[in-house]
Amino acid sequence: MEAVIFHLPSKPNIPEVELLGTASSGAEGLEKIKTLHPDLVFLDVEMADMTGFEMLAQLERISFQTIFITSYSHYAIKAIRFNALDYLVKPVDLGELKAAVRRYKEKRLESASQNENIRQALINMNTPDAGEKKLALNTQEGDIKLPRKMIVRIEGERNYSCIYLEGGKRVLASKTLGEFEEILEGEGFFRCHKSHLVNKRHIKKQLTNLSILLLDEAVLPVSRRKKEAFREWVSKGEA
């Protein structure tokens, strides 16, 4: 595979990666991508002149796959995971880098799907209504994108999660409830119980300190250790 690399300290010791070039800024990266036509780009999210997403937005066509590189910025990682994109955290560990390349090789035929997720990430960043932002998911029904406002609640089932949608539909996703909590925390969702993550938009009322009624008439428990934090979260009135 042929790659353009942003901000890695040295050429990775990975035989199957042919390094076409490196770039120290988004502007330089755009020129390298346009002239070198790489299969894979390791893209720094935080560059001096622009973000990685701002750089991608300037391309008319994305014909390569992308592995994002970021410092441990909770916001950046949430944005990447929200759109089901691959990433590495700086300083980049060689073992994790090799694992990312393996994932790329396994999924290289799915480049159209990954690039659609990048396009959706760019749309999400320019969507003022948070509820309209779409969450990219791998489910039993294939890859889907759900507007956040459609998600009523998410129930954990071991290594999977059952997502309850408006209208009574359910989908099963191969993420744990903890993973969904990390992605949706502070985005209008609250983990009210070890097995339940709820969307504030769909809460009808609080029945007791330890239970809530949703608009679809489902009743969810609120754990004793979460009841005060949940009450404060609900009182903020934001969704």
Side-chain angles (χ1 to χ4, degrees):
M1 85 192 59
E2 298 175 331
V4 170
I5 296 180
F6 290 72
H7 288 190
L8 284 181
S10 60
K11 179 180 177 180
N13 184 24
I14 305 175
E16 60 266 46
V17 174
E18 178 187 348
L19 178 61
L20 295 179
T22 61
S24 58
S25 68
E28 184 183 357
L30 284 169
E31 291 305 313
K32 291 284 179 71
I33 287 168
K34 290 174 182 177
T35 57
L36 298 175
H37 308 291
D39 300 315
L40 175 65
V41 170
F42 293 89
L43 179 57
D44 202 321
V45 174
E46 304 96 358
M47 293 179 286
D49 56 344
M50 65 185 80
T51 69
F53 285 107
E54 288 170 339
M55 193 209 79
L56 292 172
Q58 296 184 46
L59 293 168
E60 290 184 9
R61 180 171 173 268
I62 300 172
S63 58
F64 51 85
Q65 288 205 49
T66 305
I67 297 174
F68 291 90
I69 303 169
T70 182
S71 300
Y72 192 79
S73 160
H74 193 51
Y75 172 79
I77 291 175
K78 280 179 67 172
I80 292 166
R81 294 182 68 189
F82 193 89
N83 295 283
L85 300 169
D86 203 359
Y87 70 98
L88 295 166
V89 176
K90 294 186 286 188
V92 176
D93 176 79
L94 181 58
E96 292 177 356
L97 177 59
K98 289 181 177 179
V101 171
R102 282 197 300 272
R103 288 193 296 271
Y104 159 77
K105 290 174 65 179
E106 291 167 1
K107 296 183 177 181
R108 64 187 306 171
L109 297 179
E110 301 174 17
S111 59
S113 175
Q114 199 237 23
N115 290 340
E116 175 57 34
N117 287 352
I118 288 175
R119 283 191 287 272
Q120 186 59 57
L122 299 174
I123 292 170
N124 281 343
M125 289 178 179
N126 292 298
T127 300
D129 183 347
E132 295 292 344
K133 294 182 179 181
K134 293 183 179 180
L135 176 66
L137 292 171
N138 179 262
T139 73
Q140 288 184 324
E141 300 176 10
D143 292 337
I144 62 173
K145 293 175 179 62
L146 293 173
R148 200 165 65 191
K149 67 181 182 182
M150 286 185 59
I151 302 172
V152 176
R153 60 189 176 97
I154 305 175
E155 184 173 355
E157 297 183 0
R158 296 185 181 179
N159 294 327
Y160 293 84
S161 295
C162 185
I163 303 171
Y164 291 77
L165 305 175
E166 287 180 336
K169 185 177 179 180
R170 296 184 297 175
V171 294
L172 196 63
S174 55
K175 288 185 184 293
T176 66
L177 191 62
E179 289 178 288
F180 278 115
E181 181 183 16
E182 287 181 20
I183 295 170
L184 296 169
E185 179 184 34
E187 305 290 335
F189 287 77
F190 188 90
R191 189 168 181 175
C192 60
H193 183 272
K194 66 179 182 179
S195 300
H196 299 283
L197 188 69
V198 65
N199 186 345
K200 185 181 286 186
R201 288 174 180 258
H202 293 277
I203 296 175
K204 186 173 184 179
K205 63 179 179 180
Q206 189 158 0
L207 296 175
T208 70
N209 285 338
L210 299 176
S211 63
I212 53 175
L213 178 67
L214 305 187
L215 293 174
D216 64 1
E217 303 303 320
V219 176
L220 295 186
V222 177
S223 68
R224 291 185 182 278
R225 68 182 185 87
K226 293 284 188 77
K227 67 179 183 179
E228 289 303 322
F230 178 78
R231 181 183 59 79
E232 292 177 10
W233 174 74
V234 169
S235 68
K236 289 179 182 178
E238 300 174 358

